[in-house]
C-alpha cells in the first residue's frame, strides 16, 4: 500500500493488479490510511484532511476490484478514533473523542463482503467499560487488543488493577449485538489475547514477574481451562507494555518500550 494505491503481488514478485483510490480535488490531502486482509477481501481505509480528518472504507477482492460502487463514508465526530481491525470479521473500531469517553461507548462497525456497512454494535457489557489496550505484534502495525472468530468479538472489560473485581473476558455476538458470556481472569492482571478458533479463545493471564498461564475459554459457554504455563522472565516486565505474537503454537513476548524492535524475553518451540 502507498499513499494512493494498493498493489497486489504474486508469489514470484510480479504485479498482479493495482487499485487507486478515487482521488479528490488538488487542494485537499488524501491518502490510504490503513489496510487489513480478511481471507479473499481487503479493507482499505482512506483519510482526507479537510480542516480535520474524515474517513472512508473501500473493500477490494483478490483481483483488486472494488466491491462497492464507491468507498463507504464513516460519519464520525471530529477527533474520534477510527481503526481497521484484523480478524475474520470485516470490522472498524470507532472510539469517541477524548471529551466524550465518559458518556459515549466505543463501537464496532461491521462490513459485508460487498463492502457495505452491515451493523453498528456498541462495545459494551455488564462487566464494565471495554479495556482496549493499544499494543503491537512483531512485524505488524499497532492494534487494539481485541480478537475475532466468525461473528464473535472477544474483548476485555472491567478494571485489571482491581484485586477484588478482576477484569473479565467478554464474548460479543456481532450478528445481534448481544453479550454471549463474560468470564473473569486472574486478579490484578492485564489479559492479552493470543488468538481464537471455533472451539475457544486463548488468553495470556498473570503478571510478568511470575509464571503466567495460557487459558482457553470455550467459545459457546466461556468455560475456562488452563492449557499451558509461561515461565517468568529473569527481569520483570510490564504485561500491559508487551507485544504478543502467537502463531502455530509458538509464543513470543517483547517489550518494545526501549526501542522499535524491543528485546525478546520468551519464545516457545513450535510443535
Amino acid at each position: 500500500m502507498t499513499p494512493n494505491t494498493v498493489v497486489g503481488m504474486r508469489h514470484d514478485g510480479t504485479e498482479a493488479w493495482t487499485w487507486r483510490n478515487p482521488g479528490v480535488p488538488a487542494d485537499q490531502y488524501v491518502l490510504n490510511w490503513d489496510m487489513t486482509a480478511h481471507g479473499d477481501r481487503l479493507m482499505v481505509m482512506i483519510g482526507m484532511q479537510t480542516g480535520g480528518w474524515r474517513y472512508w472504507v473501500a473493500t477490494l477482492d483478490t483481483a483488486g476490484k472494488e466491491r462497492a460502487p464507491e468507498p463507504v463514508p464513516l460519519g464520525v465526530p471530529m477527533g474520534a478514533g477510527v481503526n481497521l481491525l484484523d480478524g475474520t470479521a470485516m470490522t472498524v473500531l470507532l472510539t469517541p473523542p477524548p471529551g466524550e469517553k465518559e458518556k459515549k461507548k466505543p463501537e464496532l462497525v461491521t462490513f459485508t463482503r460487498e463492502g457495505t456497512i452491515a451493523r453498528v454494535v456498541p462495545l459494551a457489557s455488564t462487566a464494565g467499560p471495554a479495556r482496549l489496550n493499544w499494543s503491537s505484534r512483531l512485524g505488524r502495525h499497532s492494534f487494539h487488543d481485541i480478537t475475532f472468530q466468525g461473528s464473535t468479538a472477544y474483548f476485555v472489560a472491567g478494571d485489571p488493577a482491581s484485586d477484588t473485581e478482576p477484569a473479565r473476558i467478554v464474548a460479543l455476538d456481532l450478528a445481534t449485538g448481544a453479550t454471549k458470556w463474560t468470564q473473569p481472569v486472574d486478579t490484578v492482571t492485564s489479559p492479552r489475547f493470543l488468538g481464537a478458533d471455533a472451539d475457544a479463545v486463548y488468553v495470556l493471564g498473570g503478571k510478568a514477574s511470575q509464571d503466567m498461564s495460557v487459558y482457553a475459554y470455550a467459545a459457546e459457554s466461556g468455560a475456562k481451562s488452563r492449557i499451558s504455563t509461561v515461565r517468568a522472565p529473569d527481569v520483570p516486565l510490564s504485561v500491559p507494555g508487551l507485544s504478543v505474537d502467537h502463531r502455530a503454537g509458538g509464543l513470543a513476548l517483547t517489550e518494545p518500550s526501549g526501542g522499535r524492535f524491543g528485546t525478546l524475553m520468551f519464545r516457545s518451540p513450535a510443535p
Side-chain angles (χ1 to χ4, degrees):
M1 183 178 71
T2 74
N4 54 22
T5 63
V6 175
V7 179
M9 305 294 291
R10 301 184 181 92
H11 286 291
D12 63 5
T14 59
E15 182 179 322
W17 50 262
T18 296
W19 173 85
R20 291 178 173 81
N21 67 33
V24 293
D27 61 344
Q28 296 175 326
Y29 184 52
V30 65
L31 78 162
N32 292 340
W33 192 268
D34 196 7
M35 177 173 64
T36 53
H38 306 266
D40 61 354
R41 293 290 187 267
L42 290 175
M43 295 180 71
V44 182
M45 188 166 68
I46 303 167
M48 185 171 69
Q49 192 173 32
T50 54
W53 286 101
R54 293 189 293 160
Y55 303 95
W56 288 257
V57 171
T59 300
L60 313 181
D61 61 20
T62 54
K65 181 180 179 181
E66 194 171 331
R67 300 305 302 177
E70 58 186 16
V72 176
L74 293 172
V76 297
M78 202 70 69
V82 184
N83 296 95
L84 297 179
L85 297 179
D86 288 333
T88 53
M90 298 168 57
T91 311
V92 175
L93 171 66
L94 303 181
T95 51
E100 299 182 15
K101 289 185 176 181
E102 295 299 323
K103 59 182 180 180
K104 186 172 176 59
K105 294 178 174 61
E107 295 176 327
L108 294 177
V109 182
T110 63
F111 280 71
T112 68
R113 286 173 48 79
E114 299 309 306
T116 59
I117 292 177
R119 179 182 289 271
V120 179
V121 181
L123 198 61
S125 78
T126 57
R131 309 290 299 192
L132 297 171
N133 297 319
W134 184 251
S135 58
S136 61
R137 290 191 176 178
L138 303 181
R140 298 173 60 187
H141 293 299
S142 296
F143 77 124
H144 287 285
D145 202 17
I146 182 171
T147 194
F148 299 89
Q149 174 60 35
S151 63
T152 301
Y154 298 99
F155 65 97
V156 178
D159 185 4
S162 172
D163 58 1
T164 57
E165 298 180 358
R168 302 179 75 88
I169 304 298
V170 179
L172 183 68
D173 188 342
L174 295 177
T176 64
T179 298
K180 297 174 65 174
W181 50 259
T182 69
Q183 291 289 353
V185 294
D186 293 342
T187 58
V188 197
T189 184
S190 296
R192 305 299 295 276
F193 291 109
L194 303 181
D197 56 29
D199 297 320
V201 59
Y202 304 96
V203 180
L204 176 69
K207 294 180 284 187
S209 59
Q210 304 169 1
D211 289 353
M212 293 174 282
S213 298
V214 177
Y215 297 103
Y217 289 81
E220 293 303 317
S221 66
K224 182 176 74 170
S225 58
R226 188 169 68 180
I227 60 175
S228 65
T229 300
V230 178
R231 189 182 68 251
D234 295 334
V235 178
L237 300 176
S238 169
V239 170
L242 292 179
S243 296
V244 179
D245 196 42
H246 180 262
R247 55 173 71 98
L251 173 67
L253 304 179
T254 304
E255 186 184 41
S257 58
R260 179 175 176 81
F261 299 104
T263 303
L264 188 68
M265 59 172 269
F266 174 85
R267 184 182 293 278
S268 66

